[in-house]
Amino acid sequence: MIQTVRGIITKEELGITMSHEHLLLDLRPVRHDEVSIIDDLELVSGELKPAIEMGCRSVIEVTTVDMGRNPEGLRELSKRTGINIITSTGFYLKDYHSDWLQKAPVKQLEDFFVKEITVGIDGTNIKAGAIGEVASSEKIYPSEQKVLTAAARASKRTNAAVFTHCDMGLLGLEQIDLMLGQGMAPDKLVIGHTDLTADADYQTEILRAGVNLAFDTVGKNNYLSDETRAEVLMRLLEAGWEDHLLLSEDVSKQTYLINYGGRGYTAVLGYFVPLLCAKGVGEVQIRKMLVENPARILDR
Ligand SMILES: [Zn+2]
């Protein structure tokens, strides 16, 4: 089963899925700018519409508690648009960590994650269907280490998938060592943002650990062109890693939205997938990255 903000669905119902996304968030307390908030349900519904028309059926929404997560807003968005939304439990980079988190022992964080997955979030009946995006900065700070450890242990208890944030795509191997060291299942772990490195050798080493890898910054051409991103991804596909790759856009501020001149939630289906197809990537491989892999990883 897969837990969405509107209840349980089967893995066959998931369909085309963006695997690391933000629909509602507020990063202004740390970023101190005016573009790092997305909170307008009407606007986001409109942004989702073209993606849905292109076939998108589900979004894994990895906004953590401390990124301005809004489960009731997500439920309302799901009602308005019909899209499946999987919300997450988790904490982000150390700069976002509260005093409570800084002081909490690992066990308390682990129990908090398990409660949000099995009982509900903030007294609502909305349950988290995944853990994420748990993060590391340019190094793994002590509070980040606690969160990653707790996430791995909570995954072991609930079978929930864990989605990570690797700052600038780095420290994926260190995250893996730490989290698999806690005994979580490798196939439940999705290492995020390593597409920013354009380093297929590094990514191959990550995949050899048995975990999954998300090309989840598609459309962020200011960091890395989709052309290069596609070439690196094709190296991994040619090496046979198609069962462990996922795609997404990680829309994290207003300027990525269509209303502000970006590609929003259509960067994968409207631009990147056509680019891959033009380069000769087959339908079966595309389907695995968009449908089968996220369904298998989320299912518990
Ligand atoms: Zn993200």
Side-chain angles (χ1 to χ4, degrees):
M1 64 95 159
I2 293 171
Q3 180 73 53
T4 79
V5 290
R6 291 201 290 159
I8 287 167
I9 61 170
T10 66
K11 70 175 194 219
E12 289 74 24
E13 289 173 277
L14 194 70
I16 292 179
T17 303
M18 295 303 116
S19 290
H20 179 123
E21 217 49 81
H22 304 282
L23 301 178
L24 300 171
L25 90 176
D26 186 0
L27 305 180
R28 292 174 307 169
V30 171
R31 292 210 178 154
H32 302 294
D33 61 30
E34 285 312 308
V35 294
S36 295
I37 177 167
I38 302 175
D39 66 346
D40 182 340
L41 298 188
E42 202 52 46
L43 174 83
V44 178
S45 299
E47 291 279 338
L48 283 169
K49 212 172 156 220
I52 292 167
E53 281 163 7
M54 290 171 188
C56 184
R57 290 288 164 268
S58 299
V59 171
I60 306 175
E61 221 282 3
V62 293
T63 303
T64 58
V65 177
D66 45 10
M67 296 170 83
R69 186 187 61 177
N70 176 356
E72 280 169 326
L74 294 178
R75 179 161 62 184
E76 179 58 28
L77 274 177
S78 177
K79 274 185 197 159
R80 286 191 197 182
T81 62
I83 206 165
N84 300 310
I85 301 173
I86 289 87
T87 189
S88 306
T89 184
F91 299 101
Y92 192 38
L93 295 159
K94 70 123 169 106
D95 288 351
Y96 293 77
H97 291 170
S98 65
D99 290 346
W100 171 82
L101 196 160
Q102 299 279 0
K103 289 180 196 132
V106 174
K107 174 74 173 135
Q108 197 175 346
L109 302 180
E110 174 192 334
D111 289 343
F112 175 84
F113 295 155
V114 170
K115 185 179 172 220
E116 293 210 326
I117 294 164
T118 59
V119 180
I121 298 172
D122 296 336
T124 69
N125 60 358
I126 302 172
K127 293 176 187 170
I131 304 168
E133 60 179 302
V134 289
S136 55
S137 300
E138 75 285 358
K139 64 172 201 171
I140 302 181
Y141 285 93
S143 63
E144 292 169 344
Q145 178 164 356
K146 263 193 327 192
V147 170
L148 293 169
T149 304
R153 291 181 186 173
S155 171
K156 202 178 161 191
R157 279 169 64 185
T158 60
N159 218 18
V162 180
F163 296 79
T164 79
H165 165 106
C166 290
D167 227 47
M168 297 314 291
L170 304 175
L171 302 189
L173 294 165
E174 287 79 358
Q175 289 187 352
I176 290 168
D177 275 351
L178 198 165
M179 297 176 84
L180 296 192
Q182 297 300 320
M184 74 169 286
D187 195 39
K188 288 291 169 189
L189 183 53
V190 181
I191 302 296
H193 308 340
T194 68
D195 51 336
L196 291 171
T197 68
D199 183 348
D201 294 334
Y202 162 61
Q203 293 176 312
T204 301
E205 222 178 316
I206 287 174
L207 288 161
R208 283 206 183 107
V211 304
N212 303 287
L213 203 143
F215 271 61
D216 53 14
T217 65
V218 172
K220 294 194 172 180
N221 288 296
N222 50 333
Y223 286 98
L224 180 79
S225 76
D226 273 356
E227 183 65 33
T228 305
R229 193 177 274 104
E231 277 162 22
V232 177
L233 176 61
M234 285 181 69
R235 276 189 60 193
L236 299 177
L237 289 171
E238 279 156 17
W241 293 111
E242 62 192 39
D243 291 326
H244 295 282
L245 297 166
L246 303 110
L247 298 174
S248 205
E249 292 127 349
D250 191 30
V251 170
S252 52
K253 56 183 172 187
Q254 291 170 1
T255 43
Y256 292 124
L257 296 171
I258 295 171
N259 275 278
Y260 293 82
R263 292 176 175 178
Y265 306 108
T266 66
V268 167
L269 295 175
Y271 299 88
F272 196 61
V273 167
L275 180 64
L276 293 176
C277 291
K279 288 175 176 292
V281 176
E283 227 172 272
V284 173
Q285 290 178 314
I286 301 280
R287 191 178 157 78
K288 283 186 173 182
M289 294 190 285
L290 289 175
V291 181
E292 291 170 29
N293 298 343
R296 182 193 76 241
I297 294 161
L298 281 179
D299 189 37
R300 57 193 178 91

